[in-house]
């Protein structure tokens, strides 16, 4: 294959159905994902996980910790450090309760899938080692949705450190996908004293890798990725430190990226505005190869 793009085999059929008006787009659910960075002698590295090959969606693809927003996290007022909820609402383009839930989702998923917690006992501290049995019990309860993140923070008397996050970009799953997400991508630096681990049941491997190295492996077809993943890796590559990337985040454009599909002369043209490298032309009557085209957020 030319590169490592991941492409669902049923896309041509679903795109045709959307064009013919026989497919009603699903409403996208809000989600958050975090590009966790740490500095190395050769520049910042990003924490990535590889989805298990057995996963129905994007099996074998590399991604960042992330997942859906829990509606319960907009119901309880959590202890909060950093920019206000009003600031985050303006930055994310949502109301204040939704902003709290989205930021909570970013911090929760980083804890659930990487074991890293962007919260502390005070507004200027972060938790230390979170690998003990009591922490693990809480993490498991969060994964099982037996405990909301807002409840977890309240029970432990923790302050959510929204100042440790930077909103980076926003991608919406194409209209022809059966499961759609409106995903906010954040950037964060690994807190001092914490370490990552593979805590996700959906991943069989985790790595720390420099963005340019991951992008080169993708270009050679060695690492599978979805368009938002490789796009953000390329965006991170110019920064010399994690702090530089975080400092750049407030100036990033959060206009949602949404794929476009249209029928042209018996072919399907699939494109992502502003990301020409993902444009793909597919014969409309043939199934797609699952590693040769674009993919959803």
């Amino acid at each position: 294959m030319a590169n490592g793009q991941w492409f669902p085999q049923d896309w041509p059929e679903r795109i045709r159905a959307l064009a013919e008006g026989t497919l009603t787009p699903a409403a996208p659910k809000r989600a958050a994902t975090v590009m966790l960075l740490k500095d190395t002698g050769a520049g910042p590295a990003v924490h990535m996980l590889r989805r298990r090959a057995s996963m129905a969606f994007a099996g074998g693809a590399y991604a960042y910790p992330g997942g859906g927003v829990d509606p319960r996290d907009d119901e309880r007022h959590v202890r909060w450090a950093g920019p206000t909820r009003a600031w985050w609402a303006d930055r994310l383009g949502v109301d204040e309760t939704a902003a709290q839930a989205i930021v909570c989702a970013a911090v929760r998923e980083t804890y659930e899938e990487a074991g890293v917690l962007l919260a502390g006992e005070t507004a200027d501290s972060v938790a230390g080692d979170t690998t003990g049995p009591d922490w693990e019990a809480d993490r498991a309860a969060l994964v099982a949705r037996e405990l909301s993140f807002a409840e977890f923070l309240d029970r432990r008397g923790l302050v959510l450190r929204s100042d440790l996050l930077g909103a980076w970009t926003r991608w919406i799953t194409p209209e022809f996908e059966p499961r759609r997400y409106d995903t906010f991508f954040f950037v964060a630096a690994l807190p001092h004293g914490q370490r990552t681990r593979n805590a996700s049941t959906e991943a069989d491997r985790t790595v720390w890798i420099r963005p340019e190295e991951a992008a080169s492996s993708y270009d050679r077809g060695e690492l599978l990725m979805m368009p938002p993943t490789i796009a953000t890796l390329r965006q991170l590559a110019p920064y010399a430190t994690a702090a530089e990337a975080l400092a750049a985040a407030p100036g990033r454009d959060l206009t949602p990226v949404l794929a476009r599909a249209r029928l042209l002369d018996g072919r399907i043209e699939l494109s992502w505005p502003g990301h020409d490298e993902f444009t793909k032309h597919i014969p409309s009557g043939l199934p797609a190869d699952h590693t040769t085209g674009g993919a959803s957020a």
Side-chain angles (χ1 to χ4, degrees), residues 96 147 229:
E96 290 188 33
L147 183 68
T229 309

Side-chain angles (χ1 to χ4, degrees), residues 16 33 40 76 90 176 231 251 259 272:
R16 286 194 299 271
T33 190
T40 72
R76 180 181 297 211
D90 181 67
F176 44 82
W272 280 257

Side-chain angles (χ1 to χ4, degrees), residues 35-264:
M35 300 176 289
L36 190 63
L37 303 174
K38 73 173 181 180
D39 290 323
T40 72
V46 62
H47 180 71
M48 303 188 76
L49 53 85
R50 184 177 65 185
R51 293 173 59 84
R52 294 185 183 277
S54 59
M55 297 293 292
F57 181 79
Y62 280 76
Y64 312 115
V69 167
D70 185 344
R72 296 175 297 176
D73 288 336
D74 65 12
E75 298 171 353
R76 180 181 297 211
H77 192 81
V78 303
R79 296 172 67 195
W80 190 274
T84 65
R85 291 166 181 78
W87 184 94
W88 278 107
D90 181 67
R91 179 73 179 113
L92 302 178
V94 298
D95 61 37
E96 290 188 33
T97 55
Q100 174 176 295
I102 292 166
V103 173
C104 278
V107 178
R108 186 195 73 241
E109 289 290 336
T110 306
Y111 181 49
E112 286 183 6
E113 298 194 344
V116 170
L117 183 59
L118 304 177
E121 293 183 355
T122 65
D124 57 359
S125 69
V126 290
D129 186 357
T130 61
T131 60
D134 57 331
W135 286 101
E136 181 57 26
D138 278 351
R139 194 195 66 80
L142 287 167
V143 172
R145 297 298 180 262
E146 296 168 355
L147 183 68
S148 76
F149 195 66
E151 291 168 338
F152 163 76
L153 293 172
D154 185 57
R155 193 166 79 181
R156 284 191 169 267
L158 294 173
V159 180
L160 186 146
R161 293 288 306 276
S162 81
D163 55 319
L164 299 181
L165 287 170
W168 191 261
T169 191
R170 180 180 180 183
W171 288 64
I172 300 178
T173 309
E175 292 180 327
F176 44 82
E177 275 279 44
R179 292 189 301 176
R180 302 184 64 215
Y181 296 94
D182 180 356
T183 305
F184 294 84
F185 284 70
F186 294 85
V187 65
L190 179 68
H192 180 71
Q194 294 194 37
R195 62 182 186 273
T196 58
R197 58 194 174 94
N198 184 7
S200 173
T201 59
E202 298 180 353
D204 61 10
R205 184 189 183 203
T206 61
V207 295
W208 281 102
I209 187 169
R210 290 183 300 113
E212 56 269 36
E213 180 184 348
S216 295
S217 295
Y218 163 90
D219 290 336
R220 294 192 298 268
E222 297 169 357
L223 298 183
L224 289 178
M225 297 181 201
M226 294 180 281
T229 309
I230 181 59
T232 49
L233 285 170
R234 297 200 197 285
Q235 292 161 358
L236 287 172
Y239 297 98
T241 65
E244 282 188 14
L246 276 165
R252 297 274 311 167
D253 182 8
L254 291 189
T255 301
V257 179
L258 175 64
R260 296 173 179 167
R262 56 179 180 167
L263 296 173
L264 291 173

